[in-house]
């Protein structure tokens, strides 16, 4: 099969999976809903209004993780993965196609979520001005990268439940640990390497000097995690029996 | 009984699950020893003193004092009382204190009783750090104060004019030797205020404050020799229980238990798989054929996975609270001491937290029948509200979130105590939950009960 056919096959599997459309709607609703609520209750003056208005990304990413884990995990669970690999012996191409489909779908689903978030922020928060491109596009890319990371983790663990646990653990563990470490240097280092704590710095618009890591570099850290897990996933998939 | 054994066999024979549960324990213990890593605090230099009740206390003040043998009393007029909150901040902090104190000795943490005027809390009679009685609410100076020691009892009185006296309270401090120290003291606590300069963490400004009081008309009575004239005393510090928070010292036991969250991930995954794996492989039909009363199957699963999680969490927490804290102290990290009962609550609470979350995940797995959504729902409702509360939301919204969501259950791990007599930022990010420990746990139980009812409904109504 050529590359386009592999991609189309994955797209067909993705869009016909039960509940997938609802999950994608969930990405947008979760992102927009929590964002709007955070903007509403924060009301008035907050230090970084744009970032507060994008709080919902924290919720949206969890739904993204489900969306991204299922295409891999379900195929292993049902054993259909052997059929896929029989049809396309270049296993890396199958995983690559899955990553592309997931990334594209998440990007499309995230757009309304992010737009509504920014709109709600503008509506309820004061001092909301200028420079919306980096946080807006950053939020979109952040969600896509979390999707790619989840595809990679799922390829490594081959089980939806374990993969989703690992993804959420990986995302939330670093900020939680940073909160409990008294030493400021250690806290900063933890925030610099954590995929969520570093990646979310792309949403900041104020106090950039105080961030543990610069906005785009932070997103780069998340990209490195995603790429790393995808590579390990591909390597293991090529080596292991399916 | 057979049902329980069947479910236990299913749990222990899946190698991945056993490994995951084992890793949960490793995660809790491993992270428990890591935070703080090493410090340069070696007791006794930076250990806090403990009061008569065993709690950690702050005991820093200035005073003019002399010994008093047997019974006796001292009367004084507080002529003036003023202070500041660091450079640029005029005025007394609310818990600035000036008055008369009787104490067992000059060592830190000694038993005492004191009657005082305060910055904004009127006249007070306090003893042994944690006990506080209110006198008249107006704290106008000049004001007369008298303290009388009669055997083991100490009486505080106040007066507007030095003629008509009102008793504030008579208290019995834990230990008063026959010869005590008595005198005029002044102190003014650390103050802190939240500011919102940096996103992501509640910024805190604050620092030491200072107070100065003038005492005159000192009139000793009883066995105390004549003193006279007036004294002006300036002090900074506090005579009160120690609190953690912005001005806290060292690491709290709660912080060493942060690994609970990672443990939770493993436990929740296993608990959800317990039921979703049966649906996926179709073995659930065999199970229900063997035991047609489906609710009993669900109960047996809940009991088995809950018990396993409880034992695991408790054992891991014991290791963290004992070995972990000891190794941190050995590295020179100061770990706040907690009363034994609180330590027991932390340990049992951690086990309970894991157990209830496991049952929650099991119920969600039964309800949703998909492991990915069940795991996400269980983890997200536990973790996301907590993160939002400590890092993003304004205080009011944060408190409501930690009252209403399953994340309220983390309150059971709170080791810091809240005291009315100490001003502090009692915020979630400083380790203070809006609900009492078991109250928060009850909220988590409520959600779990709700999910279980939903699970029971779906289990009995839907095809397997």
């Amino acid at each position: 099969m050529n590359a386009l056919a592999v991609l189309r096959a994955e797209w067909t599997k993705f869009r016909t999976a039960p509940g997938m459309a609802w999950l994608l709607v969930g990405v947008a609703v979760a992102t927009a809903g929590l964002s709007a609520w955070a903007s509403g209750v924060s009301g008035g003056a907050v230090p970084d209004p744009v970032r507060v208005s994008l709080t919902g990304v924290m919720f949206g990413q969890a739904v993204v993780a489900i969306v991204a884990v299922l295409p891999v995990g379900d195929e292993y669970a049902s054993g259909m993965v052997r059929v896929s690999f029989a049809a396309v012996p270049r296993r890396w191409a199958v995983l690559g196609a899955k990553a592309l489909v997931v990334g594209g779908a998440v990007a499309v689903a995230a757009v309304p979520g992010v737009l509504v978030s920014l709109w709600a922020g503008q509506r309820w928060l004061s001092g909301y001005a200028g420079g919306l491109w980096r946080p807006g596009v950053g939020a979109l890319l952040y969600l896509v990268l979390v999707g790619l990371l989840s595809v990679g983790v799922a390829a490594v663990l081959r089980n939806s439940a374990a993969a989703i646990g690992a993804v959420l653990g990986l995302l939330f563990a670093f900020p939680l640990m940073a909160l409990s470490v008294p030493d400021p240097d250690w806290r900063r280092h933890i925030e610099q390497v954590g995929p969520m704590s570093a990646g979310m710095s792309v949403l900041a618009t104020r106090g950039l000097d105080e961030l543990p890591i610069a906005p785009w570099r932070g997103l780069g850290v998340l990209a490195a995690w995603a790429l790393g897990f995808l590579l390990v996933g591909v390597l293991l998939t090529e080596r292991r029996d399916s | 009984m057979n049902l329980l054994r069947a479910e236990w066999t299913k749990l222990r024979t899946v190698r991945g699950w056993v490994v995951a549960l084992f890793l949960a324990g490793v995660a809790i213990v491993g992270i428990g020893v890591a935070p703080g890593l090493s410090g340069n605090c070696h007791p006794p230099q930076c250990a806090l003193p403990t009061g008569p009740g065993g709690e950690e206390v702050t005991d820093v003040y200035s005073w003019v004092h002399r010994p008093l043998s047997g019974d006796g009393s001292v009367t004084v007029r507080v002529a003036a009382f003023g202070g500041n909150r660091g450079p640029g901040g005029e005025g007394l902090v609310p818990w600035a204190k000036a008055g008369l104190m009787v104490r067992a000795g000059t060592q830190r943490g000694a038993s005492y009783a004191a009657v005082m005027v305060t910055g904004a809390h009127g006249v007070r009679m306090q003893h042994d750090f944690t006990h506080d009685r209110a006198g008249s609410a107006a704290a106008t100076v000049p004001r007369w104060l008298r303290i009388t020691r009669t055997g083991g009892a100490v009486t505080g009185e106040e007066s507007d004019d030095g003629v008509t006296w009102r008793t504030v309270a008579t208290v019995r401090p834990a230990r008063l030797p026959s010869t005590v120290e008595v005198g005029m003291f002044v102190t003014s606590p650390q103050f802190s205020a939240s500011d919102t300069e940096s996103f992501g963490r509640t910024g805190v400004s604050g620092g030491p404050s200072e107070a100065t009081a003038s005492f005159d008309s000192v009139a000793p009575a009883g066995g105390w020799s004549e003193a006279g004239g007036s004294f002006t005393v300036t002090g900074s510090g506090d005579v009160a229980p120690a609190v953690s928070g912005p001005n806290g010292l060292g690491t709290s036991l709660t912080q060493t238990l942060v690994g609970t969250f990672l443990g939770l991930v493993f436990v929740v995954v296993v608990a959800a798989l317990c039921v979703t794996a049966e649906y996926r492989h179709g073995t659930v039909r065999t199970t229900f054929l063997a035991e047609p009363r489906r609710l009993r199957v669900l109960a047996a699963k809940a009991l088995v996975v809950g018990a396993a999680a409880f034992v695991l969490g408790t054992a891991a927490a014991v290791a963290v609270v004992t070995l972990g804290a000891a190794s941190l102290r050995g590295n020179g990290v100061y770990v706040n001491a907690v009363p034994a009962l609180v330590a027991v609550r932390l340990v049992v609470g951690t086990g309970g937290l894991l157990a209830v979350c496991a049952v929650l995940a099991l119920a969600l797995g039964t309800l949703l029948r998909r492991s990915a959504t069940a795991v996400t729902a269980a983890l997200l409702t536990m973790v996301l509200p907590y993160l939002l509360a400590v890092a993003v939301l304004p205080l009011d919204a944060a408190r409501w979130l930690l009252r209403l969501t399953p994340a309220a259950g983390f309150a059971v791990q709170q080791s810091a105590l809240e005291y009315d007599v100490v001003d502090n930022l009692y915020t979630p990010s400083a380790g203070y939950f809006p609900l009492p420990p078991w109250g928060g746990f009850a909220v988590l139980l409520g959600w779990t009960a709700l999910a279980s009812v939903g699970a029971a409904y779906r289990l009995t109504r839907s095809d397997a």
Side-chain angles (χ1 to χ4, degrees):
Chain A
M1 272 207 278
N2 64 19
L4 211 62
V6 178
L7 201 59
R8 217 176 61 205
E10 288 306 326
W11 168 240
T12 308
K13 282 190 259 179
F14 183 81
R15 80 182 155 78
T16 53
M20 194 52 87
W22 286 112
L23 281 173
L24 287 172
V25 171
V27 171
V29 171
T31 307
L34 180 60
S35 292
W37 183 70
S39 293
V41 295
S42 295
V46 290
D48 189 344
V50 178
R51 186 164 181 173
V52 168
S53 76
L54 287 168
T55 301
V57 170
M58 280 181 162
F59 190 4
Q61 65 182 354
V63 189
V64 166
I66 305 181
V67 168
V69 157
L70 285 182
V72 182
D74 273 358
E75 223 170 305
Y76 273 103
S78 62
M80 284 304 285
V81 73
R82 286 189 281 273
V83 181
S84 297
F85 289 158
V88 188
R90 292 162 299 161
R91 297 180 176 183
W92 61 267
V94 176
L95 275 184
K98 279 188 196 295
L100 273 180
V101 166
V102 165
V106 168
V108 171
V111 168
V114 171
L115 284 180
V116 172
S117 299
L118 292 176
W119 172 83
Q122 219 139 20
R123 170 113 170 55
W124 283 305
L125 296 173
S126 59
Y128 204 86
L132 292 183
W133 278 106
R134 189 181 62 211
V137 173
L140 215 62
L141 289 177
Y142 178 90
L143 290 172
V144 170
L145 286 172
V146 168
L148 298 185
L149 172 72
S150 308
V151 171
V153 172
V156 172
L157 294 175
R158 299 189 289 189
N159 177 297
S160 300
I164 203 90
V167 170
L168 294 182
L170 191 64
L171 289 174
F172 287 115
F174 290 90
L176 283 170
M177 271 169 65
L179 282 171
S180 74
V181 171
D183 186 61
D185 287 336
W186 271 100
R187 190 186 301 154
R188 202 175 164 81
H189 289 315
I190 289 173
E191 286 178 337
Q192 280 167 343
V193 296
M196 175 174 165
S197 43
M200 284 215 156
S201 61
V202 80
L203 307 179
T205 57
R206 307 270 171 85
L208 298 184
D209 303 337
E210 292 173 22
L211 287 175
I213 189 165
W216 287 118
R217 282 181 64 188
L219 200 68
V221 170
L222 173 61
W225 278 97
L227 202 65
F229 268 104
L230 279 175
L231 281 178
V232 175
V234 166
L235 276 178
L236 286 178
T237 311
E238 296 273 359
R239 296 272 171 112
R240 285 189 299 212
D241 277 349
S242 60
Chain B
M1 207 58 223
N2 278 335
L3 200 55
L4 281 179
R5 216 173 60 206
E7 292 303 333
W8 168 240
T9 309
K10 283 184 211 168
L11 182 71
R12 78 180 161 78
T13 50
V14 182
R15 207 182 59 198
W17 296 359
V18 177
V19 170
L21 286 178
F22 177 71
L23 284 178
V26 171
I28 296 176
V29 177
I31 293 179
V33 186
L37 302 147
S38 71
N40 46 15
C41 163
H42 293 282
Q45 295 101 301
C46 70
L48 292 167
T50 50
E55 69 288 322
E56 291 185 321
V57 298
T58 315
D59 198 9
V60 181
Y61 54 92
S62 305
W63 72 330
V64 181
H65 65 104
R66 41 188 4 192
L68 166 70
S69 291
D71 297 346
S73 81
V74 179
T75 307
V76 81
R77 189 176 78 117
V78 183
F81 189 28
N84 66 60
R85 41 190 81 196
E90 279 308 303
L92 287 167
V93 293
W95 276 112
K97 298 164 183 170
L100 293 166
M101 174 153 58
V102 168
R103 57 188 291 147
T106 50
Q107 71 276 19
R108 302 242 179 272
S111 191
Y112 76 93
V115 62
M116 67 200 80
V117 291
T118 60
H121 294 282
V123 174
R124 294 272 164 172
M125 177 89 189
Q126 297 184 344
H127 73 283
D128 290 353
F129 301 96
T130 51
H131 304 277
D132 175 46
R133 311 271 188 86
S136 58
T140 50
V141 284
R143 178 160 293 269
W144 295 78
L145 297 173
R146 177 186 291 159
I147 199 159
T148 308
R149 188 256 167 111
T150 319
V154 179
T155 304
E157 291 166 279
E158 58 164 321
S159 168
D160 296 328
D161 48 14
V163 180
T164 48
W165 288 87
R166 211 166 30 255
T167 302
V168 180
T170 298
V171 298
R172 306 189 75 86
R175 313 178 260 283
L176 284 185
S178 61
T179 300
V180 294
E181 295 288 327
V182 61
M184 291 146 273
F185 80 102
V186 174
T187 192
S188 182
Q190 292 265 330
F191 72 98
S192 48
S194 78
D195 65 48
T196 42
E197 227 161 75
S198 56
F199 176 87
R201 191 165 292 116
T202 315
V204 169
S205 66
S209 65
E210 198 177 69
T212 303
S214 303
F215 300 95
D216 58 13
S217 314
V218 182
W224 205 36
S225 65
E226 191 69 33
S230 66
F231 300 89
T232 299
V233 183
T234 298
S236 180
D238 205 359
V239 183
V243 292
S244 28
N247 302 321
L249 170 69
T251 304
S252 70
L253 271 183
T254 305
Q255 283 172 310
T256 66
L257 283 169
V258 66
T260 307
F261 161 69
L262 265 193
L264 217 57
V265 173
F266 291 103
V267 168
V268 159
V269 167
V270 171
L273 279 176
C274 261
V275 56
T276 56
E278 284 218 42
Y279 275 103
R280 201 179 71 207
H281 296 302
T283 52
V284 71
R285 286 187 283 275
T286 317
T287 305
F288 288 154
L289 211 59
E291 174 54 74
R293 287 165 297 184
R294 295 182 177 182
L295 289 184
R296 296 185 66 161
V297 175
L298 186 65
K301 276 186 192 298
L303 210 61
V304 165
V305 77
F310 181 79
V311 170
L312 186 94
T314 309
V318 166
V320 171
V321 168
T322 56
L323 297 176
S327 95
L328 281 175
R329 287 195 184 102
N331 286 344
V333 178
Y334 185 68
V335 182
N336 293 112
V338 296
L341 269 179
V342 174
V344 169
R345 194 237 301 147
L346 288 182
V347 166
V348 177
T350 304
L353 206 59
L354 287 190
V356 175
C357 279
V359 176
L360 178 66
L362 184 79
L364 287 170
T366 314
L367 190 64
L368 304 168
R369 293 197 183 175
R370 301 210 64 161
S371 50
T373 26
V375 168
T376 310
L379 283 182
L380 216 55
T381 50
M382 284 301 289
V383 175
L384 188 60
Y386 179 72
L387 262 190
L388 288 174
V390 295
V392 182
L393 294 173
L395 197 53
D396 277 343
R399 288 199 170 130
W400 276 112
L401 215 49
L402 289 179
R403 280 188 194 113
L404 296 178
T405 62
F410 277 113
V412 83
Q413 288 190 328
Q414 174 174 329
S415 66
L417 299 170
E418 222 174 302
Y419 292 101
D420 290 339
V421 291
V422 185
D423 275 334
N424 187 26
L425 293 174
Y426 292 113
T427 58
S429 53
Y432 293 94
F433 283 80
L435 289 178
W438 293 111
F441 194 70
V443 172
L444 173 62
L445 276 178
W447 281 105
T448 306
L450 203 66
S452 302
V453 169
Y457 184 81
R458 171 121 203 234
L459 200 63
T460 44
R461 292 302 171 95
S462 309
D463 276 347

